[in-house]
């Protein structure tokens, strides 16, 4: 009973676990079900909101989690910074290594974990920053970074390091902006119902405004036409860059800057996509925090359990994908079919399995590994 209560009672913030669960489930359905791309004019495509926004929600939640790990609503003391930063380095290293292992499995899934690991390093300078400065930095990244990345992509389209960090399926600048917004939220009292209500309302307003702005761009989006996404549904494993479809294509810097501002398609890393991601994330987190602050949290126990071990569940879902659908590079990949129930079955299995694990063991296995690595790196736990 004690382990059950630890999932839904303070000091744990159940609402964040619920939001993580929704992000994980969204990714499962994005990978294991044929969910159409979102088109606002077609209500039957609205479930397609899971494409792209679930990964941005992950980044937002990562920032909120880092805020909680480094003092919550109170900024950490200066003397605590070396230890806290080393913890994050250890955690990020484990996440990065697990991501490389999952990529080696050869599924067509664009693995988020390598960039997730780098995100922990990118957040190191910000962990003692005041929340209004976090918002300023996040807003500046949201507006200016996509334009700079577009110019970089024009001048150095084949640079492997830049492609991995900035041009790929999960552009670091977009994730860092979302994580800083999440850190700013995490510096408030996340148990406050007033804060949750404000976040929900602000999220809805931003989302509506974002989709209204997106409707003003060509065809509702601003995706530059000269790039071919190698991590698209064609099944290619490469998720690290978008290369020019035609070496002779000439693209003006001004057009690139405008594309950076107006891109709203999933995984483009455009300012408008980040703005939409912020709105969706605030709305989801605000709603989940409200639910987690009421007695309704007891009914959401399985989701809270799943959300308490996101690294484990995400990694397992990639392994399950490999078992069910095969390796794309060994000519045995089949992919999800129309009406495929795999995503639903896998989600239900995870909800049951995570609940059983949480009430009997506690922390997820990969979460325990990540925590141990952080303690070893900071010197709080000896590795010998």
């Amino acid at each position: 009973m004690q382990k059950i209560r630890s999932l839904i009672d303070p000091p744990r913030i159940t609402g964040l676990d619920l939001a993580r669960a929704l992000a994980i489930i969204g990714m499962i359905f994005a990978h294991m079900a044929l969910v159409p791309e979102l088109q606002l004019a077609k209500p039957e495509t609205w479930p397609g909101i899971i494409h792209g926004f679930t990964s941005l929600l992950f980044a937002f939640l990562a920032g909120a989690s880092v805020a909680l790990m480094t003092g919550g609503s109170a900024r950490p003391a200066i003397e605590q910074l070396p230890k806290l930063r080393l913890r994050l380095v250890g955690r990020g290293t484990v996440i990065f290594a697990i991501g490389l292992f999952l990529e080696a499995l050869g599924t067509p899934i664009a693995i988020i974990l390598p960039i997730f690991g780098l995100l922990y390093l990118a957040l190191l300078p910000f962990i003692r920053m005041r929340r209004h400065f976090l918002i300023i930095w996040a807003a500046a990244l949201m507006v200016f970074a996509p334009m700079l990345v577009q110019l970089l992509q024009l001048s150095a389209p084949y640079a492997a390091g830049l492609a991995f960090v900035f041009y790929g399926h999960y552009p670091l600048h977009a994730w860092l902006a979302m994580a800083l917004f999440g850190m700013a939220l995490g510096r408030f009292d996340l148990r406050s119902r007033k804060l949750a209500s404000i976040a929900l309302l602000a999220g809805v307003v931003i989302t509506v405004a974002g989709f209204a702005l997106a409707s003003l761009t060509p065809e509702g989006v601003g995706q530059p036409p000269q790039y071919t996404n190698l991590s698209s549904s064609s099944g290619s494993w490469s998720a690290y860059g978008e290369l020019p479809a035609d070496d002779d294509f000439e693209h003006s810097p001004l057009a690139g800057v405008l594309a950076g501002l107006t891109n709203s398609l999933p995984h483009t890393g455009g300012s408008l996509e980040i703005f939409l991601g912020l709105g969706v994330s605030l709305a989801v987190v605000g709603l989940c925090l409200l639910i987690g602050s009421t007695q309704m949290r007891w009914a959401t126990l399985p989701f809270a359990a799943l959300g308490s071990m996101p690294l484990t569940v995400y990694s397992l879902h990639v392994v399950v994908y490999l078992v069910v659908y095969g390796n794309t590079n060994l000519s045995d990949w089949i992919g999800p079919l129309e009406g495929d129930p795999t995503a639903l079955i896998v989600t239900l299995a995870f909800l049951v399995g995570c609940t059983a694990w949480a009430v009997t063991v506690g922390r997820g296995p990969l979460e325990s590994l990540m925590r141990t690595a952080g303690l070893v790196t900071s010197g709080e736990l000896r590795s010998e």
Side-chain angles (χ1 to χ4, degrees):
M1 186 64 179
Q2 183 178 359
K3 284 189 170 65
I4 296 177
R5 297 198 68 90
S6 68
L7 276 175
I8 56 176
D9 285 343
R12 191 153 194 102
I13 299 177
T14 306
L16 292 185
D17 287 332
L18 296 179
R20 291 190 197 98
L22 293 179
I24 288 281
I25 292 171
M27 286 195 171
I28 291 173
F29 275 84
H31 298 149
M32 296 184 176
L34 296 180
V35 181
E37 295 290 338
L38 174 65
Q39 298 180 51
L40 286 182
K42 299 180 179 179
E44 66 272 16
T45 68
W46 288 357
I49 198 170
I50 63 176
H51 294 299
F53 291 122
T54 49
S55 61
L56 293 177
L57 175 58
F58 252 122
F60 185 89
L61 290 167
S65 298
V66 168
L68 292 177
M69 287 187 288
T70 56
S73 57
R75 292 185 303 145
I78 293 177
E79 56 269 20
Q80 293 180 301
L81 291 181
K83 177 179 68 177
L84 293 174
R85 284 172 173 156
L86 286 172
R87 283 184 191 173
L88 292 177
V89 169
R91 286 170 174 260
T93 302
V94 167
I95 293 171
F96 187 87
I98 293 173
L100 295 184
F101 169 78
L102 294 178
E103 288 195 333
L105 298 181
T107 70
I109 296 174
I111 304 299
I112 66 171
L113 298 185
I115 285 293
F116 206 103
L118 289 183
L119 180 64
Y120 270 65
L121 302 183
L123 289 173
L124 294 180
F126 299 97
I127 61 175
R128 198 173 182 273
M129 189 172 287
R130 297 181 187 275
R131 57 197 179 202
H132 61 276
F133 285 120
L134 290 172
I135 295 172
I136 291 172
W137 270 95
L141 281 169
M142 178 177 67
V143 174
F144 298 110
M147 295 187 289
L148 295 175
V149 168
Q150 283 289 326
L151 295 177
L152 275 176
Q153 205 167 4
L154 292 171
S155 63
Y158 297 104
L162 291 174
F164 168 63
V165 177
F166 295 116
Y167 305 164
H169 214 61
Y170 306 114
L172 182 61
H173 64 275
W175 275 48
L176 181 56
M178 290 296 299
L180 292 177
F181 280 125
M183 279 189 70
L185 183 70
R187 290 298 181 213
F188 290 90
D189 180 11
L190 294 179
R191 296 183 181 86
S192 167
R193 292 188 184 182
K194 180 179 179 181
L195 174 69
S197 300
I198 293 173
L200 173 58
L201 178 61
V204 171
V205 170
I206 292 172
T207 302
V208 171
F211 279 122
L213 289 172
S215 68
L216 301 178
T217 61
E219 299 180 358
V221 294
Q223 186 184 34
Q226 78 282 5
Y227 292 120
T228 300
N229 190 344
L230 296 186
S231 57
S232 66
S233 59
S234 61
S236 172
W237 59 268
S238 176
Y240 289 152
E242 295 181 357
L243 304 180
D246 186 345
D247 290 338
D248 297 326
F249 189 93
E250 293 185 359
H251 185 47
S252 72
L254 177 59
V257 167
L258 292 175
L261 276 173
T262 60
N263 280 350
S264 62
L265 280 182
H267 307 298
T268 55
S271 297
L272 195 47
E273 186 204 0
I274 300 170
F275 186 70
L276 278 165
L278 172 62
V280 172
S281 297
L282 279 172
V284 170
V285 172
L287 178 61
C288 290
L289 288 175
L290 282 175
I291 294 173
S293 67
T294 68
Q295 291 301 315
M296 288 177 60
R297 66 184 185 275
W298 285 94
T300 63
L301 177 62
F303 292 90
L306 190 155
S308 71
M309 48 190 85
L311 182 58
T312 297
V313 176
Y314 178 87
S315 301
L316 282 176
H317 110 276
V318 178
V319 175
V320 171
Y321 188 102
L322 176 68
V323 173
V324 175
Y325 299 116
N327 180 302
T328 57
N329 301 311
L330 298 179
S331 301
D332 63 350
W333 182 71
I334 55 175
L337 305 174
E338 192 71 39
D340 194 331
T342 303
L344 179 59
I345 295 172
V346 169
T347 298
L348 293 175
F350 279 144
L351 288 171
V352 173
C354 290
T355 303
W357 183 279
V359 300
T360 56
V361 179
R363 185 180 287 112
L366 293 186
E367 285 68 28
S368 294
L369 174 63
M370 182 173 59
R371 178 178 181 274
T372 300
L375 294 176
V376 169
T377 307
S378 66
E380 299 168 88
L381 183 67
R382 295 189 176 185
S383 57
E384 65 271 4

